[in-house]
Amino acid sequence: MESKFPNRFFPLLVLLPTLLVCGMFLYYPVAQSFSWSLLRAAFMGLRTLYVGTQNYVRLFTSPDYLHSMWVSILFAGGIVIFGLAFSLAIALLANRKVRGARIYRTALIWPYALSPAVAGTIWLFLFNPTAGVVNYVLERTIGISPDWVTSQNLAVFLVISAAVWKNLGYNIVFFLAGLQNVPGQVIEAARIDGAGSWRCFWRITLPLLSPTAFFLLIMNMIYAFFGVFGLIDVLTKGGPARATNILIYNLYRDAFQHNKWGMASAQSVILFIMVVGFTLLQFRTTGRKVHYGG
Amino acid sequence: MKRVLLFVMLTLLVVSGLVVAQEKTQITLWHAMSGTRELLIQRMVDDFNLTHPGIEVAVEYKGSYRDTLNAAQAAAVAGDAPHVLHSFEVGTQQLLDMGIFALAEDLIDEYGVVIPWGDYLAPALNYYKIGGRQASFPWNSSNSILYYNKTLLDAAGVTMPREPTFEDIIAISNAVISAGVAEGGITWPMHSWFFEQWMAELGANLVNNENGRAGYATEINLLDPAAITIMSWWKELYDKGLWINPGRENWSQARQNFTTQRVAMMISSTSDVNLTENAAFEGGWEVGTAFMPVPLGFERHGVVIGGGSLWVTKDHPDAELKAATELVVYMSQVSQDIEWHQGTGYFALRNTSLQALALEGWYELHPNYKTASDQLAETQVMTATQGALAGVFPEIRTFIEDAAEEVYGGTPVGEALAKAKALIDQALVDYKELMGG
Amino acid sequence: MADNKKTRDWYYWRPKLSTFSTHLALLLTALLIASPIIFALIKSTQSTAQISTYPPQFVIGNSAAENYTVAWERYNLGKLMANTFGVAATVMIGKTILSLFAALALVYFDFRFKGLIFIFILVTLMMPVPVRVVPLFKLVSSLGWGNTFWALTIPFLASATGTFLFRQHFMSIPTSLVDAARVDGVGPMRFLWQILLPMSMNTIGALAVIEFVYLWNQYLWPLIIISSNDNQMIQMGVKRLTSAGPEGMVHWGVSMAGVIITMLPPLIMFILLQEQFMRGFALTEEK
């Protein structure tokens, strides 16, 4: 039996601030999302009209909204695949025993300290047609000068590359930690038995890294869905032609630019359900809980 | 004894000074003018504060027009809206429907102030007249004009007519590109505003119900031949490499493209006259201006007033409302009108201002400032040029700009416009229903 | 047999070749990763004229002092950073206190609905800001907190993560301590302050750095709730860096200077407090 303090009132008293904040600023707004999602609302609720499930029906039959879902998934996929692949490669490199390994490690991971908005700003400049450098380099080497501003596919590339670059450090740190947990003797034994580096990696290292990889998969997906908002707002604003219009950006535009508070609330509800579903799924597979940065 | 007396007198002086200071009516003005215009507004407001000792105006730049409108909405919900709000022209229907603003005409009647409306340029007034009554105070009015780099055009051996056609633009673009003096022919911010200006030029209402002026609009005329002509020309210019895309709503990059002489022509607001003339002066080239181009053979109908106006919010004590009205009246006076016009390029709204400047010979020295007013003076009076009223303008602009981007990406013009029309029509109908119209 | 010989030979050459190539690869990779910032740094020292020239120049310009001063003043970076530090400090302290209290209550007391309350708190992990931003905006505006310091802090004072971690940590502390405390007549507050707190410093430190990064990077919430530039947070300053300056155009040299400036505080923190960062990362993984 664990020892406890006897008071009955005291614990509730000290829990009160947390409960109040959670109730008022977390639960209440989520509940309100549900109720507002059944309305058509303008001017932040000064004008409302009950429309039942119309918002949801419209969203799920709207090619633009479904496209936003696709874009979110596309970004998540790109950021996870490229982010983890590059980070793993760099982590493997940084794991080698050389002099100055710690300095190298810092030099490889520090861009993590940048914000997504800063990454977006730098990319905006790098790819700027008049002042940037990328088009100049491309012109000189391959002889093409892509129109970054107008091309929908290139915009996707811009966002994913900036997002991957910014998050490399974070992924590398975890991979390094995971790699250090791979017992050296196992690798040595395999080597002596004649296994090549590639087989060692594939059969031993990678499986041992899979918990780390799985964790990073989740963190990068959250990053792709929510964290890159600032990056997109600075770099492409959801365009061109909605090519980078992820779900949260669409929500933001509908609420704060298009004055459609009911429709935005419906989108919030859908996002909430996705988050819940995702959390439960992850809970099932690992039994761990997730940190959303709150 | 003397010391005590002195002390008491000093105290009384200080206290009365404080009392007088506190008696100043405090009002706030929120606006969306950035850069040098922000500084100019601050100067004008400082002058007002000096000449109106009983009033103290606090000025705040709230960001873009959209941000300013959002801020106003949030403030309305929280119950502390600013006294005077600067809003863009397309926010007009929304502001009317929000119900928190006092109509200009009512304020004038209430406080017995005098604004000689007859002295104003009619189109500027008419945009903000709803049901025959003046709703807000026109302030920074503009329309779009064509800027061109005379030096580059000379180098390519072409000249710009006063009233160019689409074909002229294509020819001039080709000329400057083949002469190797510029990378592209023309640029303008990828903004729905220009589309709207061109619809007016071609005499087409943007939305139905007499451009939203006879009642809530329920349809947008995006499949009108005028709309298709405009979008098709945009596409042609892009596909042929004659038009450089500065980015969506990116005024800054468009200006940069023009001032770094990457392109020879730019279409932008008349409020950029000051800026482009300065850049040209520093760069050692000459800038000229011309009317908006129209397709060959089309009749020119004129342009719509752009920019914004000043709105006064209702729920304030009487003294503050009076002070707010005085501020707005002050801003509309001839000397302020001239100061604002010369400092930015926005229209001089009052005929008196125009005449005064003409007498001075100012327009001989600065002909570019007159292009926009000339264009406006030659505008036909019709609903198409009066300007569309719609509560969902932000969405309209998003969808039109999306359509343009899709067109540049390869979607056929008709298809992109039809898609935008379907979405906008629904938005218009929804809005009308929501407002109980 | 031949295989072993090949392996032996390779092992002989491996150290020299592989060390050199490893260093080279590491150096190149580090350079590649840093290249966007290096570019930004170079351009932040150039004048508009230099930046506008084509082909782009990669030389260090003379306008560094000017660009950085203009960036600092025009975008109000000092005030924005001060605001952000203030908000970050308040929220970090607030979260720590509230979470410590909550964990204290949940671990060292018995009361009805304890389990339910814990779940109540944990479920908020599924309510990140983007999911509730619209009604939160309306709520905060109706409270009259629009554009205030309160809007940036109060809604963020509770922490499910913190509560969870502290609870985990407390549960791993030997119960003999509690017994001893009770025998000595020490009340719960003193217990928290004198015994639990010093033992939790690692967790507190690690949480603090993660929180700091989160608050420093906040974008969506300040974007919509703060309307006056003086009250804004630093990422909104970053957003403005790409908007037109007084000349009506973006001065990229100034923008890049602004980027470098806003990058420095978290970067310095990161380099100095690397250990705490790593611990913080580890904490978020292991829960």
Coordinates of all heavy atoms in Angstrom, one line a residue, chain B residues 79-127:
Chain B
G79 N -16.7 43.6 -27.9 CA -17.3 44.8 -27.5 C -16.4 46.0 -27.4 O -16.7 47.0 -26.8
D80 N -15.2 45.9 -28.0 CA -14.4 47.1 -28.0 C -13.8 47.4 -29.4 O -12.6 47.4 -29.7 CB -13.3 47.1 -27.0 CG -12.2 46.0 -27.3 OD1 -12.4 45.3 -28.3 OD2 -11.2 46.0 -26.6
A81 N -14.8 47.7 -30.3 CA -14.4 48.1 -31.7 C -13.7 49.4 -31.7 O -14.0 50.3 -30.9 CB -15.6 48.0 -32.6
P82 N -12.9 49.7 -32.7 CA -12.3 51.0 -32.8 C -13.3 52.0 -33.2 O -14.4 51.6 -33.7 CB -11.2 50.8 -33.9 CG -11.8 49.8 -34.8 CD -12.5 48.8 -33.8
H83 N -13.0 53.3 -33.1 CA -14.0 54.3 -33.4 C -14.1 54.4 -34.9 O -15.1 54.6 -35.5 CB -13.7 55.6 -32.8 CG -13.7 55.6 -31.3 ND1 -12.7 55.1 -30.5 CD2 -14.7 56.0 -30.5 CE1 -13.1 55.2 -29.2 NE2 -14.3 55.7 -29.2
V84 N -12.9 54.5 -35.5 CA -12.9 54.6 -37.0 C -12.1 53.4 -37.6 O -11.0 53.1 -37.1 CB -12.2 55.9 -37.4 CG1 -12.2 56.1 -38.9 CG2 -12.8 57.1 -36.7
L85 N -12.7 52.8 -38.5 CA -12.1 51.6 -39.2 C -11.9 51.9 -40.6 O -12.7 52.4 -41.3 CB -13.0 50.4 -39.0 CG -12.5 49.1 -39.7 CD1 -11.4 48.6 -38.8 CD2 -13.6 48.1 -39.9
H86 N -10.7 51.6 -41.1 CA -10.3 51.7 -42.5 C -10.5 50.3 -43.1 O -9.9 49.3 -42.6 CB -8.9 52.1 -42.6 CG -8.4 52.1 -44.0 ND1 -7.1 51.7 -44.3 CD2 -8.9 52.5 -45.2 CE1 -6.9 51.7 -45.6 NE2 -8.0 52.2 -46.2
S87 N -11.4 50.2 -44.1 CA -11.7 48.9 -44.7 C -11.6 49.0 -46.2 O -11.9 50.0 -46.8 CB -13.0 48.4 -44.3 OG -13.4 47.3 -45.1
F88 N -11.2 47.8 -46.8 CA -11.1 47.8 -48.2 C -12.5 47.9 -48.8 O -13.5 47.5 -48.2 CB -10.3 46.7 -48.8 CG -10.7 45.3 -48.4 CD1 -10.0 44.2 -49.0 CD2 -11.5 45.0 -47.4 CE1 -10.3 42.9 -48.6 CE2 -11.9 43.8 -47.0 CZ -11.2 42.7 -47.6
E89 N -12.6 48.2 -50.1 CA -13.9 48.4 -50.7 C -14.7 47.2 -50.8 O -16.0 47.2 -50.6 CB -13.7 49.0 -52.1 CG -13.3 48.1 -53.3 CD -11.9 47.5 -53.2 OE1 -11.5 47.1 -52.1 OE2 -11.2 47.4 -54.2
V90 N -14.1 46.0 -50.9 CA -14.9 44.8 -51.1 C -15.5 44.3 -49.7 O -16.2 43.3 -49.7 CB -14.2 43.7 -51.8 CG1 -13.9 44.1 -53.2 CG2 -12.9 43.3 -51.1
G91 N -15.1 44.9 -48.7 CA -15.6 44.5 -47.4 C -16.9 45.2 -47.1 O -17.6 45.0 -46.1
T92 N -17.4 46.1 -48.0 CA -18.5 47.0 -47.8 C -19.8 46.2 -47.4 O -20.4 46.5 -46.4 CB -18.8 47.8 -49.0 OG1 -17.6 48.5 -49.4 CG2 -20.0 48.8 -48.8
Q93 N -20.1 45.2 -48.1 CA -21.4 44.4 -47.8 C -21.3 43.8 -46.4 O -22.2 43.8 -45.7 CB -21.6 43.3 -48.9 CG -22.9 42.6 -48.7 CD -24.1 43.4 -48.9 OE1 -24.3 44.0 -50.0 NE2 -24.9 43.5 -47.9
Q94 N -20.1 43.2 -46.1 CA -19.9 42.6 -44.8 C -20.1 43.6 -43.7 O -20.7 43.3 -42.7 CB -18.5 42.0 -44.7 CG -18.3 40.6 -45.4 CD -17.0 40.0 -45.0 OE1 -16.6 39.9 -43.8 NE2 -16.3 39.6 -46.0
L95 N -19.5 44.8 -43.9 CA -19.5 45.8 -42.8 C -21.0 46.2 -42.6 O -21.4 46.4 -41.5 CB -18.6 47.0 -43.2 CG -17.1 46.6 -43.2 CD1 -16.3 47.8 -43.7 CD2 -16.7 46.2 -41.8
L96 N -21.7 46.3 -43.7 CA -23.1 46.7 -43.6 C -23.9 45.7 -42.8 O -24.7 46.0 -41.9 CB -23.7 46.9 -45.0 CG -23.4 48.2 -45.7 CD1 -23.9 48.0 -47.2 CD2 -24.0 49.4 -45.1
D97 N -23.6 44.4 -43.1 CA -24.3 43.3 -42.5 C -23.9 43.1 -41.1 O -24.7 42.5 -40.3 CB -24.1 42.0 -43.3 CG -24.9 42.1 -44.6 OD1 -26.0 42.7 -44.7 OD2 -24.4 41.4 -45.6
M98 N -22.7 43.5 -40.7 CA -22.3 43.3 -39.3 C -23.2 44.1 -38.4 O -23.3 43.8 -37.2 CB -20.8 43.7 -39.1 CG -19.9 42.5 -39.4 SD -18.3 42.6 -38.5 CE -17.5 44.0 -39.2
G99 N -23.6 45.3 -38.9 CA -24.6 46.1 -38.1 C -24.0 46.9 -37.0 O -24.7 47.4 -36.1
I100 N -22.6 47.0 -37.0 CA -22.0 47.8 -35.9 C -21.6 49.2 -36.3 O -21.0 49.9 -35.5 CB -20.8 47.1 -35.3 CG1 -19.7 46.9 -36.3 CG2 -21.2 45.7 -34.7 CD1 -18.4 46.4 -35.7
F101 N -21.9 49.6 -37.6 CA -21.4 50.8 -38.0 C -22.5 51.9 -38.2 O -23.6 51.5 -38.5 CB -20.6 50.7 -39.3 CG -19.4 49.8 -39.2 CD1 -19.4 48.5 -39.5 CD2 -18.2 50.4 -38.7 CE1 -18.3 47.7 -39.4 CE2 -17.1 49.7 -38.6 CZ -17.1 48.3 -38.9
A102 N -22.1 53.1 -38.0 CA -23.1 54.2 -38.2 C -22.9 54.7 -39.6 O -21.8 54.8 -40.1 CB -22.8 55.3 -37.2
L103 N -24.0 54.9 -40.3 CA -23.9 55.4 -41.7 C -23.4 56.8 -41.7 O -23.7 57.7 -40.9 CB -25.3 55.3 -42.4 CG -25.8 53.9 -42.7 CD1 -27.0 54.0 -43.6 CD2 -24.7 53.0 -43.3
A104 N -22.5 57.1 -42.7 CA -21.9 58.4 -42.8 C -23.0 59.5 -42.8 O -22.9 60.5 -42.1 CB -21.1 58.5 -44.1
E105 N -24.0 59.3 -43.6 CA -25.0 60.3 -43.8 C -25.7 60.6 -42.5 O -26.0 61.8 -42.1 CB -26.1 59.9 -44.8 CG -26.6 61.0 -45.7 CD -27.3 60.5 -46.9 OE1 -26.6 60.2 -47.9 OE2 -28.5 60.4 -46.8
D106 N -25.9 59.6 -41.7 CA -26.6 59.8 -40.4 C -25.7 60.6 -39.4 O -26.2 61.5 -38.7 CB -26.9 58.4 -39.7 CG -27.9 57.7 -40.4 OD1 -28.7 58.3 -41.1 OD2 -28.0 56.4 -40.3
L107 N -24.4 60.3 -39.5 CA -23.5 61.0 -38.6 C -23.4 62.5 -39.0 O -23.4 63.4 -38.1 CB -22.1 60.4 -38.7 CG -21.8 59.1 -38.1 CD1 -20.5 58.6 -38.5 CD2 -21.9 59.3 -36.6
I108 N -23.4 62.7 -40.3 CA -23.4 64.1 -40.7 C -24.6 64.9 -40.3 O -24.5 66.0 -39.8 CB -23.2 64.2 -42.2 CG1 -21.8 63.7 -42.6 CG2 -23.4 65.6 -42.7 CD1 -21.6 63.6 -44.1
D109 N -25.8 64.2 -40.4 CA -27.0 64.9 -40.0 C -27.0 65.1 -38.5 O -27.3 66.2 -38.0 CB -28.2 64.0 -40.3 CG -28.5 63.9 -41.8 OD1 -28.0 64.9 -42.5 OD2 -29.1 63.0 -42.3
E110 N -26.5 64.1 -37.7 CA -26.5 64.1 -36.3 C -25.7 65.2 -35.7 O -26.1 65.9 -34.8 CB -26.0 62.8 -35.7 CG -25.8 62.7 -34.2 CD -27.0 62.4 -33.5 OE1 -28.0 61.9 -34.1 OE2 -27.1 62.6 -32.3
Y111 N -24.5 65.4 -36.3 CA -23.6 66.3 -35.7 C -23.4 67.6 -36.5 O -22.6 68.4 -36.2 CB -22.2 65.7 -35.5 CG -22.3 64.5 -34.5 CD1 -22.1 63.2 -34.9 CD2 -22.5 64.8 -33.1 CE1 -22.2 62.2 -34.0 CE2 -22.7 63.7 -32.2 CZ -22.5 62.4 -32.7 OH -22.6 61.4 -31.8
G112 N -24.2 67.7 -37.5 CA -24.3 69.0 -38.2 C -22.9 69.4 -38.8 O -22.6 70.6 -38.9
V113 N -22.1 68.4 -39.2 CA -20.9 68.8 -39.8 C -21.1 68.9 -41.3 O -22.1 68.4 -41.9 CB -19.8 67.7 -39.6 CG1 -19.4 67.8 -38.1 CG2 -20.2 66.4 -40.0
V114 N -20.2 69.6 -42.0 CA -20.4 69.8 -43.4 C -19.3 69.1 -44.2 O -18.2 69.3 -44.0 CB -20.3 71.3 -43.7 CG1 -20.5 71.6 -45.2 CG2 -21.3 72.1 -42.9
I115 N -19.8 68.3 -45.1 CA -18.9 67.7 -46.1 C -19.5 68.0 -47.5 O -20.6 67.6 -47.8 CB -18.7 66.2 -46.0 CG1 -18.0 65.9 -44.6 CG2 -17.8 65.7 -47.1 CD1 -17.6 64.4 -44.5
P116 N -18.8 68.8 -48.3 CA -19.4 69.1 -49.6 C -19.3 68.0 -50.6 O -18.4 67.9 -51.4 CB -18.5 70.3 -50.1 CG -17.2 70.1 -49.3 CD -17.5 69.4 -48.1
W117 N -20.3 67.1 -50.5 CA -20.3 65.9 -51.3 C -20.2 66.2 -52.8 O -19.6 65.5 -53.6 CB -21.5 65.0 -51.0 CG -21.5 64.3 -49.7 CD1 -22.6 64.4 -48.8 CD2 -20.6 63.5 -49.1 NE1 -22.3 63.7 -47.7 CE2 -21.1 63.1 -47.8 CE3 -19.3 63.0 -49.5 CZ2 -20.4 62.2 -47.0 CZ3 -18.6 62.2 -48.6 CH2 -19.2 61.8 -47.3
G118 N -20.8 67.3 -53.1 CA -20.9 67.7 -54.6 C -19.5 67.9 -55.1 O -19.3 67.8 -56.3
D119 N -18.5 68.2 -54.3 CA -17.2 68.5 -54.7 C -16.4 67.2 -55.0 O -15.3 67.2 -55.6 CB -16.4 69.3 -53.7 CG -15.1 69.9 -54.1 OD1 -15.0 70.2 -55.3 OD2 -14.2 70.0 -53.3
Y120 N -17.0 66.1 -54.6 CA -16.3 64.8 -54.7 C -16.4 64.2 -56.1 O -17.3 64.5 -56.9 CB -16.8 63.8 -53.8 CG -16.2 63.8 -52.4 CD1 -16.4 64.9 -51.5 CD2 -15.3 62.8 -52.0 CE1 -15.8 64.9 -50.3 CE2 -14.7 62.8 -50.8 CZ -15.0 63.8 -49.9 OH -14.4 63.8 -48.7
L121 N -15.4 63.4 -56.5 CA -15.5 62.6 -57.7 C -16.6 61.6 -57.5 O -16.6 60.8 -56.6 CB -14.2 61.9 -58.0 CG -13.0 62.7 -58.3 CD1 -11.8 61.8 -58.5 CD2 -13.2 63.5 -59.6
A122 N -17.6 61.7 -58.4 CA -18.8 60.9 -58.3 C -18.5 59.4 -58.1 O -19.1 58.8 -57.2 CB -19.8 61.1 -59.4
P123 N -17.7 58.8 -58.9 CA -17.5 57.3 -58.8 C -17.0 56.9 -57.4 O -17.4 55.9 -56.8 CB -16.4 57.0 -59.8 CG -16.5 58.1 -60.8 CD -16.9 59.3 -60.1
A124 N -16.2 57.8 -56.8 CA -15.6 57.5 -55.5 C -16.7 57.5 -54.4 O -16.8 56.6 -53.6 CB -14.6 58.5 -55.1
L125 N -17.7 58.4 -54.6 CA -18.8 58.5 -53.7 C -19.7 57.3 -53.9 O -20.2 56.6 -53.0 CB -19.6 59.7 -53.8 CG -19.1 61.0 -53.2 CD1 -20.1 62.1 -53.4 CD2 -18.9 60.8 -51.7
N126 N -20.0 57.1 -55.2 CA -21.1 56.1 -55.5 C -20.8 54.7 -55.1 O -21.7 53.9 -54.8 CB -21.3 56.1 -57.0 CG -22.0 57.4 -57.5 OD1 -22.6 58.1 -56.6 ND2 -21.9 57.7 -58.7
Y127 N -19.5 54.3 -55.1 CA -19.2 53.0 -54.6 C -19.7 52.8 -53.2 O -20.3 51.7 -52.9 CB -17.7 52.8 -54.6 CG -17.3 51.3 -54.4 CD1 -16.8 50.6 -55.5 CD2 -17.4 50.7 -53.2 CE1 -16.5 49.2 -55.3 CE2 -17.1 49.4 -53.0 CZ -16.7 48.6 -54.1 OH -16.4 47.3 -53.9

